[in-house]
Structures are given as structure tokens and as C-alpha cells.
Amino acid sequence: SSVSGGTPGAADDGVVVGPEPGGGYDDWQSSQFTEDQLADESVSGPLADADNDGWVNLQEYAFFGNPSSPESHGPDLVYIESVPHLAITRPAGISDVTYIIEQSADLANWSVYQPLAQSAVLGDQDQERIHFQINLQDGPYWRIVTTKN
């Protein structure tokens, strides 16, 4: 809000206003932080983690998280008709982040993994759920690396 001490991303009447779907990282960042926070890269920068939850701001954005709440989450392992998938929630229409699935046998050596299939499930107008089909026999450890385009 424009009120001193107000809520970042909220209108003056207290209604929280999020970024437009597909607006990109910069729009998201502006909707999540105050002007003072935006001026401080250690709080609002893409590699900052001001809420100390282990998720930097770029990951909070990429996985539809909240940079002010330590309750953010990333990928989930889900089963669809007994088939394993890595599932993520991300902003609807996101086009400025690349998601790369990697697998490892030992947590030291990682290799890019091409999912067997990918599907999208639309959530509300702000988010979508993406499922990446994987074969658990290909490796016991999995991660999704995010990079800003």
C-alpha cells in the first residue's frame, strides 16, 4: 500500500493486489516488497532469503511461494494412476523461468533428466500445477533447478 507501515502489495483499502498473471519476475517482486525492501538486494534480490526458509526469492516466485512466509514449499512427489510425477505449483503463464529436472544416485553427481511426459492442471487464475512424469528407478534423488531467462 502507499500508507506508511502498510502491507506490501496491498491497496490502500487493505485489499491484497498480486501481480498480473504472466507479468514476470519483476512484477511479482514489486508486488511482494515495499519500496525500502526493493532498494535492498539482501531482502528483495533474486538470491535473497529474507524469511530464512531455504528458498531464495527466485524459487519463491518460480514455485508460487511467499517470500515473507517460512511456509513455502517446492516440488512434491505425487502418483497419478500409480505413476510417479514431480509436481510443482507455479504462476500461471510464467515464461521467464526455466525448470530443469535433475536426478542423482549419490547427491554429488547430478544429470539432466528428460521427463517421460508433462501435463498441466490449471488452478485459479493466478496459478497452475505442472506434473513431470519420472521413473523412480532412474535415480533415488531428484531436484528441479530454476533459472531466470
Side-chain angles (χ1 to χ4, degrees):
S1 75
S2 64
V3 178
S4 178
T7 303
D12 291 335
D13 60 4
V15 175
V16 175
V17 179
E20 289 296 316
Y25 179 81
D26 294 337
D27 287 350
W28 173 86
Q29 186 183 41
S30 295
S31 75
Q32 299 295 315
F33 299 101
T34 65
E35 287 186 33
D36 288 343
Q37 291 170 325
L38 287 168
D40 186 349
E41 281 284 310
S42 70
V43 174
S44 64
L47 299 179
D49 179 19
D51 60 3
N52 296 310
D53 63 357
W55 295 94
V56 298
N57 290 332
L58 179 59
Q59 292 169 320
E60 299 272 15
Y61 166 66
F63 296 116
F64 205 74
N66 180 343
S68 302
S69 171
E71 296 183 16
S72 296
H73 65 280
D76 299 311
L77 178 63
V78 299
Y79 289 82
I80 301 171
E81 297 180 8
S82 302
V83 177
H85 291 74
L86 289 178
I88 63 168
T89 301
R90 68 181 188 186
I94 190 172
S95 62
D96 59 345
V97 172
T98 300
Y99 299 83
I100 301 170
I101 298 174
E102 295 184 342
Q103 63 84 27
S104 173
D106 57 13
L107 293 175
N109 301 296
W110 292 90
S111 59
V112 173
Y113 182 85
Q114 294 299 321
L116 303 173
Q118 178 178 330
S119 62
V121 178
L122 296 178
D124 62 28
Q125 67 180 8
D126 298 331
Q127 64 182 317
E128 59 191 6
R129 187 89 166 145
I130 307 297
H131 299 119
F132 301 99
Q133 183 181 339
I134 59 173
N135 182 345
L136 292 177
Q137 294 178 354
D138 289 336
Y141 304 107
W142 300 85
R143 68 182 181 189
I144 298 180
V145 177
T146 55
T147 56
K148 189 172 182 296
N149 300 338

